[in-house]
Every structure is written in C-alpha cells, then in structure tokens.
C-alpha cells in the first residue's frame, strides 16, 4: 500500500547553522512520537550533508530541491544526482513551479532530470500544478495531464514505482490561498486515474500523491482526510519545527 508522506521544502531559506538547528529540533520533536507518515526535509544543496547527519537515527529522510540532468563534467554551478546521493539524501524534488517559472524548466527538462535521478537511485518528488489563469479558464486538467504524461510516462512500471507526485496549484503556493479539500481530491483522483490508465490500477494505488500550497496545521487534517491525498509538500510551514510537527501529526 502507498505511503503517506509529509515533506518540507525549505526553498532558499536558512543558513547552514539555522538549517542544522531546525533539523535537530525536528528530530527531538519526533522522538517519542509515532509518526504515521514518512517525514522528509528538503534543505538547500549546501546543507544536505549536515542535515542528513543531524537527523541520523530518526525517521527523517532528506531530499534535494533540484538536481542536474547531467552525470558529471563541465556544468558550472550544477549539482549531479550522484552528488546528492553522496550526502545521504534519498529524494529529490523536481519540476517545482518556481523552477518552471523562474528557471525555464519545461516538461522535457523535468523528464531528463527524472531519468538522471532514478538512474542514480534517488526517488523523485515530481511537482505538477496549474497557474491561476488555467484554473479560471478550466484548463487545469489538461495542463496537469500534460505535465504528468510528458515528464513521467516514458518510464517503465518499475521506474515509475520510485516516483512521488506532488500536486501544487501554483495559485496556492505561498499565497495563503489553499485549494479546497474537494479541489485537491478531484485533481488527485484525476492524476491517479491517469496512472491507472497507463500502468494499471495496482501501480496507481501504490503511488503517493501529495498536496502542496499553503498547507498548514489548521488545514492539513481536512486535506489529508481525502482518499487520494497521501500527504503534503510543505513550504512556509516547514520552516518552524512546531508548525511542521502540527502537519505531521495530522495523520
Ligand atoms: P507553501 O509552499 O506551503 O509555502 O505554499 C509549498 C511549495 O511550494 O512546495
């Protein structure tokens, strides 16, 4: 059966020392608590090894927020999937809307990164989601369908089994505006159905689909109660251990 997951995307926040302190605080807060979900933190690249070290011995897993589609070589400023693995991280967030809109990542780029990540043993958390205009003009199913198909459906079933999908309506990210539980459930069921059509219902039932966009302790329970919502990708509310714990314990 699929996993419930709560993942914290720190984005470009926290110095190394602040990040390690937050990771330790989270580890302490989780000791003695039986989390009913997998817990992941995604700090900036340069914190990965230190954060992986700080959470050692706890249930917390570590993710990068991005990685290169290249293996190694003359790609100044890039970080390869093998480098991410060497820090102790086991996941990588790919295709986040901020990568798509500020750094020009297309579905084709995300596809190449997914291959590189899986090829190096990382589990990709692939983000999809429509912008406000696409929500308002009714194009949201088409947009999300294209994102899922063009970045993931070249995989065989065994490789697809490593993928976690995060549905993040762009209009809900960092805006305080959350999708309603019904909007989230509707899109998650739509995505699961796409997966079932391509890979069969067993693969679809085993795929974790997370919701992201202004998820916080006060709305997590209502969102996670939906049958196709398997957890959250959390931005702002992952930057304070108490808030993040409030979301983890919503399961
Ligand atoms: P938010 O960000 O929780 O701050 O809205 C979510 C995300 O971008 O992953």
């Amino acid at each position: 059966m699929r996993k419930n997951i709560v993942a914290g995307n720190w984005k470009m926040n926290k110095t190394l020392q602040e990040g390690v302190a937050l990771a330790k605080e989270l580890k302490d807060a989780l000791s003695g608590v039986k989390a009913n979900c997998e817990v992941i933190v995604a700090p900036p690249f340069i914190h990965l090894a230190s954060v992986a070290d700080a959470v050692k011995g706890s249930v917390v897993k570590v993710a990068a927020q991005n990685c290169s589609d290249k293996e190694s070589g003359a790609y100044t400023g890039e970080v390869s999937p093998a480098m991410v693995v060497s820090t102790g991280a086991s996941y990588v967030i790919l295709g986040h809307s901020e990568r798509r809109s500020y750094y020009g990542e297309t579905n084709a780029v995300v596809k190449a990164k997914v291959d590189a990540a899986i090829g190096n043993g990382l589990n990709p958390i692939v983000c999809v989601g429509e912008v406000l205009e696409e929500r308002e003009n009714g194009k949201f199913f088409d947009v999300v369908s294209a994102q899922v198909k063009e970045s993931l459906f070249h995989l065989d079933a065994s490789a697809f089994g490593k993928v976690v999908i995060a549905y993040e309506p762009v209009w809900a990210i960092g805006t305080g505006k959350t999708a309603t539980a019904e909007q989230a459930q509707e899109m998650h069921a739509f995505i699961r159905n796409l997966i079932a059509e391509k890979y069969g219902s067993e693969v679809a039932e085993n795929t974790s689909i997370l919701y992201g966009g202004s998820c916080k302790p006060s709305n997590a329970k209502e969102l996670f109660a939906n049958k196709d919502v398997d957890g959250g990708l959390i931005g702002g509310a992952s930057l304070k251990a108490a808030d993040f714990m409030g979301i983890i314990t919503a399961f």
Side-chain angles (χ1 to χ4, degrees), residues 9 11 96 98 168 172-174 213-215 233-236:
N9 174 11
K11 308 193 180 182
H96 189 280
E98 287 146 21
E168 302 204 300
I173 296 177
S214 300
C215 185
L233 181 54
I234 319 300

Side-chain angles (χ1 to χ4, degrees), residues 45 63-71 79-86 89-95 108-126 151-152 154-155 158-160 162-164:
F45 282 131
Q65 299 172 17
N66 179 29
C67 71
S68 176
D69 60 330
K70 307 289 193 298
E71 292 297 324
V79 175
S80 76
M83 291 171 189
V84 171
V85 171
S86 74
S90 49
Y91 284 91
V92 59
I93 298 171
L94 294 174
V109 170
V110 178
K111 175 185 178 188
K113 291 186 173 193
V114 164
D115 287 341
I118 292 177
N120 284 280
L122 284 171
N123 292 88
I125 301 172
V126 178
S151 55
L152 294 172
H154 63 291
L155 297 171
S158 132
F160 188 85
K162 313 251 186 289
V163 172
V164 172

Side-chain angles (χ1 to χ4, degrees), residues 32-113:
V33 174
K34 161 104 187 65
N36 294 317
C37 59
E38 187 154 303
V39 178
I40 302 172
V41 292
F45 282 131
I46 57 164
H47 306 4
L48 283 173
S50 308
V51 166
D53 201 42
V55 297
K56 225 176 233 148
S58 77
V59 298
V60 182
K61 302 231 163 75
V62 179
Q65 299 172 17
N66 179 29
C67 71
S68 176
D69 60 330
K70 307 289 193 298
E71 292 297 324
S72 66
Y75 302 102
T76 302
E78 288 291 284
V79 175
S80 76
M83 291 171 189
V84 171
V85 171
S86 74
T87 66
S90 49
Y91 284 91
V92 59
I93 298 171
L94 294 174
H96 189 280
S97 68
E98 287 146 21
R99 301 292 320 167
R100 292 175 188 266
S101 65
Y102 304 142
Y103 302 100
E105 290 194 8
T106 59
N107 293 338
V109 170
V110 178
K111 175 185 178 188
K113 291 186 173 193

Side-chain angles (χ1 to χ4, degrees), residues 139-173:
K139 295 261 164 65
F140 47 104
F141 287 130
D142 294 342
V143 170
V144 170
S145 167
Q147 289 170 333
V148 170
K149 289 180 178 168
E150 290 170 24
S151 55
L152 294 172
F153 278 10
H154 63 291
L155 297 171
D156 63 25
S158 132
F160 188 85
K162 313 251 186 289
V163 172
V164 172
I165 294 179
Y167 169 57
E168 302 204 300
V170 181
W171 46 271
I173 296 177

